Amino acid sequence: MAVRSVLKMGDPLLLQVAGPVTAFDTPELHALIADMFDTMTALDGAGIAAPQIGVSRRAVIFGIEKNPRYPQAEPVPTTVLINPVIEILTQETEDGWEGCLSVPGMRGVVSRATHLRYSGFDQYGKFFTREVRAFHARVVQHECDHLDGILYPMRIKDMRQFGYKDILFPEM
Ligand code: NI
């Protein structure tokens, strides 16, 4: 399909609450998901949400095998998640560094719940649910935030832990 350009922070579309996907297993939805994968792969991302390529619909993809952007991260299965629902299963949170294709070159520390259940549909309309922890849970929260118009810098509590990746992590 195609590598699409990624909207950057400041674009008002990234602040919108995205609408639900209402039709599954359609050429349009398969094309959207294919473009999201092509774009994420080209930019070495861990995940991407449809609004980031300009489509205000509740669809995200994510997956990490061995990602050079996240060298210490545990693997996360390649997933298409549409119309997601998240249920937080713990009060416990953990601070961790995040980046985002819409905030290129930056990293910031965000506190996220460490244990949750998510459910939703794949691109064929098949329902699924998973209970996950740690980095997998972080990725899901980050991507699903995009569907509600939330970018990770809006969740940083200590702005001293926000900066340019090249300066923060010169060895990477
Ligand atoms: Ni992001």
Side-chain angles (χ1 to χ4, degrees):
M1 298 301 288
V3 175
R4 305 266 290 263
S5 62
V6 175
L7 303 186
K8 291 182 190 165
M9 186 169 66
D11 191 301
L13 196 142
L14 292 172
L15 303 177
Q16 286 182 20
V17 176
V21 171
T22 54
F24 292 88
D25 201 13
T26 62
E28 293 77 14
L29 183 59
H30 290 306
L32 170 65
I33 298 298
D35 283 359
M36 289 167 67
F37 271 111
D38 288 349
T39 305
M40 179 177 84
T41 302
L43 299 175
D44 265 330
I48 194 167
Q52 291 181 274
I53 59 167
V55 178
S56 192
R57 291 290 159 196
R58 303 187 80 78
V60 305
I61 63 169
F62 50 84
I64 296 128
E65 292 177 23
K66 265 261 168 224
N67 189 311
R69 279 162 54 100
Y70 303 92
Q72 75 291 6
E74 68 196 81
V76 175
T78 299
T79 302
V80 174
L81 177 61
I82 297 172
N83 297 347
V85 174
I86 292 179
E87 183 186 354
I88 302 290
L89 299 175
T90 179
Q91 310 263 43
E92 185 185 286
T93 61
E94 187 173 66
D95 286 349
W97 288 96
E98 295 190 12
C100 180
L101 297 175
S102 293
V103 193
M106 308 292 288
R107 293 290 185 277
V109 169
V110 181
S111 178
R112 300 282 191 187
T114 57
H115 185 197
L116 58 81
R117 180 182 298 118
Y118 66 92
S119 54
F121 300 86
D122 71 10
Q123 64 270 49
Y124 302 97
K126 183 176 188 301
F127 179 84
F128 67 101
T129 185
R130 279 186 194 145
E131 187 180 326
V132 301
R133 296 173 187 272
F135 187 68
H136 191 155
R138 175 176 300 279
V139 170
V140 170
Q141 289 169 87
H142 176 114
E143 295 310 327
C144 291
D145 263 357
H146 279 294
L147 307 180
D148 292 326
I150 298 167
L151 298 167
Y152 83 83
M154 297 157 68
R155 293 202 182 274
I156 296 173
K157 291 184 192 137
D158 180 357
M159 291 302 285
R160 292 172 297 187
Q161 294 189 293
F162 182 46
Y164 292 92
K165 180 194 159 204
D166 294 351
I167 307 300
L168 288 163
F169 306 109
E171 72 283 4
M172 280 174 65

